[in-house]
Amino acid sequence: MRAIVRAVKRSRFLFGLRSEAEGKRMRHHYSKEERGELHSPNYLLYMKNSDGKYISPFHDIPLHDVVEKTLVNMVVEVPCWTNAKMEIATKMPLNPIKQDMKNGKTWEDPSHKDPCTNCCGDNDPIDVCDIGSKVCSCGDVIQVKVLGALALIDEGEMDWKIIAINQEDPDAQMFNDIDDVRRYKPGYLEATVNWFKLYKVPDGKPENQLGFNGEFKNRDFALGVIKSTHQYWCSIIYRKTDGGDIICKNVSISDSPFYCSHEEAESLVHSAPKYVKPSPIPEEVNKWHFLNK
């Protein structure tokens, strides 16, 4: 049998990281500002809050939706049906979204060994896959229902994938746990496992390994993963743990040693290249890959 692997076809999201207690009792709204040239190494997507002030999407967005606490916030990195591997730049001030040019949020602590898989974290914010039908844009902040989790072991590192659904999806009320995905979207989870196992093979890398024999864990397990990884983030934002190269500069956690003023944040953004019209996307980006199984 042959498996067909496309270079994209998956939405990828990040949890916002601040705790609900650090946010105001109202739903936040966010906007975006592009700098540099899209499809190039100098492209940067910065985030703004409701007041138009620059923020870090890694550190200044609450974890929970402050209106409906059963929901969590996510920052869209890779919208569905797009190819570019966009991700929050953890090693840049204010952590703009940029394209990962090399081959091949909660925060997964590289010094913490997961007791379930015996692997350490990948030093990145935790990833989430939205199973809904609504296509979002890079940098959108959406509220989702957590449904389950998949334990991906990416080149020996623990890389949790949280399964969730956008609360604005027309079918969101039907989904409350991972079994609902099996019931209402038969074959979806199997396709997701196949994708994560094989997506690096076209680059000449081996298949990724999966914890729990590739089985999806339920909602309660996923919420436990989110809680524990959020605690690791709290440790670095308050300098209780060495975050290594991660830049923790933020504008909203006043008792953090990495707190900065909005004026400093504005100066950082304005030092980046101005936005220019993007270059065409190279044709090879849309190449299909056929793998023998």
Side-chain angles (χ1 to χ4, degrees):
M1 183 177 73
R2 293 198 304 175
I4 301 175
V5 180
R6 188 72 199 269
V8 336
K9 307 303 184 196
R10 268 270 125 4
S11 291
R12 188 153 161 265
F13 297 83
L14 281 174
F15 279 109
L17 301 184
R18 289 177 55 227
S19 68
E20 178 272 334
E22 293 163 332
K24 297 179 181 178
R25 298 284 174 170
M26 59 180 290
R27 180 160 289 158
H28 298 275
H29 299 280
Y30 303 94
S31 59
K32 301 167 278 188
E33 180 175 316
E34 296 177 292
R35 309 287 291 193
E37 182 182 6
L38 187 61
H39 312 141
S40 77
N42 73 357
Y43 177 79
L44 300 170
L45 182 66
Y46 287 95
M47 304 285 296
K48 293 181 177 180
N49 63 14
S50 303
D51 298 324
K53 304 292 187 181
Y54 295 107
I55 63 169
S56 161
F58 191 173
H59 306 302
D60 292 313
I61 296 177
L63 174 60
H64 291 285
D65 180 274
V66 295
V67 175
E68 178 52 67
K69 297 179 184 178
T70 61
L71 304 176
V72 292
N73 284 321
M74 295 180 182
V75 180
V76 178
E77 288 183 309
V78 182
C80 192
W81 312 117
T82 62
N83 295 42
K85 185 184 177 185
M86 307 299 292
E87 59 183 19
I88 285 179
T90 60
K91 299 177 183 179
M92 292 186 65
L94 295 186
N95 314 114
I97 297 175
K98 64 177 298 188
Q99 186 168 357
D100 180 8
M101 305 302 289
K102 68 177 181 293
N103 293 326
K105 320 169 148 343
T106 28
W107 172 65
E108 290 168 323
D109 188 344
S111 64
H112 171 78
K113 185 168 288 189
D114 189 278
C116 299
T117 62
N118 206 35
C119 293
C120 293
D122 65 355
N123 209 28
D124 276 331
I126 197 169
D127 295 336
V128 184
C129 296
D130 171 34
I131 68 166
S133 57
K134 183 176 180 179
V135 179
C136 301
S137 299
C138 185
D140 285 355
V141 180
I142 64 174
Q143 292 76 45
V144 299
K145 296 167 66 175
V146 175
L147 305 176
L150 178 68
L152 176 69
I153 302 173
D154 186 353
E155 299 184 31
E157 295 178 332
M158 189 65 249
D159 191 6
W160 286 105
K161 305 298 180 185
I162 302 298
I163 306 300
I165 188 168
N166 189 340
Q167 62 105 8
E168 294 185 355
D169 188 272
D171 295 327
Q173 303 240 347
M174 298 166 53
F175 295 89
N176 297 292
D177 212 322
I178 199 67
D179 286 339
D180 294 324
V181 184
R182 297 188 180 95
R183 182 178 301 113
Y184 299 116
K185 289 180 177 282
Y188 190 97
L189 295 180
E190 291 80 1
T192 300
V193 167
N194 196 48
W195 162 261
F196 282 122
K197 285 179 64 177
L198 300 175
Y199 78 97
K200 288 192 174 182
V201 173
D203 286 334
K205 296 180 180 179
E207 291 185 11
N208 285 323
Q209 302 301 306
L210 298 169
F212 308 105
N213 295 318
E215 296 179 3
F216 286 83
K217 307 302 286 184
N218 64 17
R219 176 180 181 272
D220 288 342
F221 187 98
L223 290 174
V225 170
I226 293 167
K227 181 179 179 180
S228 64
T229 53
H230 179 68
Q231 290 171 346
Y232 303 145
W233 170 81
C234 289
S235 293
I236 66 165
I237 203 68
Y238 290 109
R239 200 176 272 165
K240 295 178 181 178
T241 297
D242 182 9
D245 294 334
I246 290 179
I247 302 297
C248 297
K249 195 178 291 291
N250 67 86
V251 299
S252 57
I253 310 172
S254 58
D255 56 343
S256 165
F258 304 104
Y259 173 80
C260 74
S261 67
H262 286 290
E263 290 75 16
E264 182 181 350
E266 182 176 2
S267 176
L268 285 168
V269 176
H270 289 176
S271 67
K274 292 184 178 180
Y275 177 76
V276 296
K277 186 177 178 180
S279 300
I281 301 176
E283 283 296 323
E284 60 266 22
V285 168
N286 294 315
K287 182 178 180 180
W288 286 74
H289 301 273
F290 296 85
L291 305 178
N292 289 318
K293 295 292 288 184

